[in-house]
Amino acid sequence: MNVSLRIFGTLLVEFLKDVDREVNDHLPDGTFSQFSSEPRETISSAIGKGQAFVLWCAAQKQETIDYPYIPLRYPLGQIAEDLCEVFQPFHGLRAIEWDRGINMEAIYPGIQKVVHDYLQNKGIIT
């Protein structure tokens, strides 16, 4: 692959993430999920954190779920989640930025492992 094209692609992705973060920062809290009020959080990460919370809650009850849907009270999150799924399965869970916003692992112990195990069981990661 052409090095210039790779550099351009990397810069474009970072630019789009910054635009995404700016949009999310200026929307009302809870637009996409209960975690979309976090500063400098991408919309995909906010959706992924909402999905991670659904998975974590199910794990606490020792339940298994096929797909962690965003709750109905976040209709824009549901629409954005559906659009992302067209292009990349489990995009929200894959896009979680664990180092941004609240420390989810401190509040929901084991949540990162729950997400990792879920994605591994679905064959998304190895």
Side-chain angles (χ1 to χ4, degrees), residues 64-81:
T64 58
I65 56 176
D66 186 48
Y67 188 84
Y69 290 99
I70 295 291
L72 291 175
R73 65 182 170 271
Y74 305 108
L76 288 179
Q78 289 181 325
I79 292 167
E81 173 190 14

Side-chain angles (χ1 to χ4, degrees), residues 23-24 26-37 43 46-47 70-71 73-80:
V23 168
N24 196 30
H26 289 87
L27 290 172
D29 291 354
T31 300
F32 296 98
S33 80
Q34 64 268 46
F35 301 102
S36 58
S37 60
I43 293 168
I47 290 169
I70 295 291
R73 65 182 170 271
Y74 305 108
L76 288 179
Q78 289 181 325
I79 292 167

Side-chain angles (χ1 to χ4, degrees), residues 4-112:
S4 303
L5 190 58
R6 187 177 304 171
I7 292 171
F8 174 74
T10 301
L11 293 173
L12 180 63
V13 166
E14 289 306 312
F15 171 76
L16 291 174
K17 281 185 176 180
D18 282 341
V19 169
D20 188 343
R21 288 184 180 111
E22 282 297 316
V23 168
N24 196 30
D25 282 352
H26 289 87
L27 290 172
D29 291 354
T31 300
F32 296 98
S33 80
Q34 64 268 46
F35 301 102
S36 58
S37 60
E38 298 301 317
R40 304 301 296 157
E41 185 91 66
T42 64
I43 293 168
S44 295
S45 180
I47 290 169
K49 286 181 177 180
Q51 292 175 308
F53 179 71
V54 170
L55 286 174
W56 183 83
C57 289
Q60 299 310 299
K61 299 178 207 171
Q62 298 182 340
E63 297 175 353
T64 58
I65 56 176
D66 186 48
Y67 188 84
Y69 290 99
I70 295 291
L72 291 175
R73 65 182 170 271
Y74 305 108
L76 288 179
Q78 289 181 325
I79 292 167
E81 173 190 14
D82 290 343
L83 287 173
C84 289
E85 286 295 312
V86 170
F87 301 103
Q88 184 184 43
F90 305 100
H91 176 74
L93 291 172
R94 297 162 105 178
I96 294 174
E97 298 172 305
W98 295 108
D99 58 336
R100 290 192 183 267
I102 63 169
N103 183 350
M104 292 197 61
E105 190 65 35
I107 299 169
Y108 311 108
I111 194 167
Q112 289 182 20

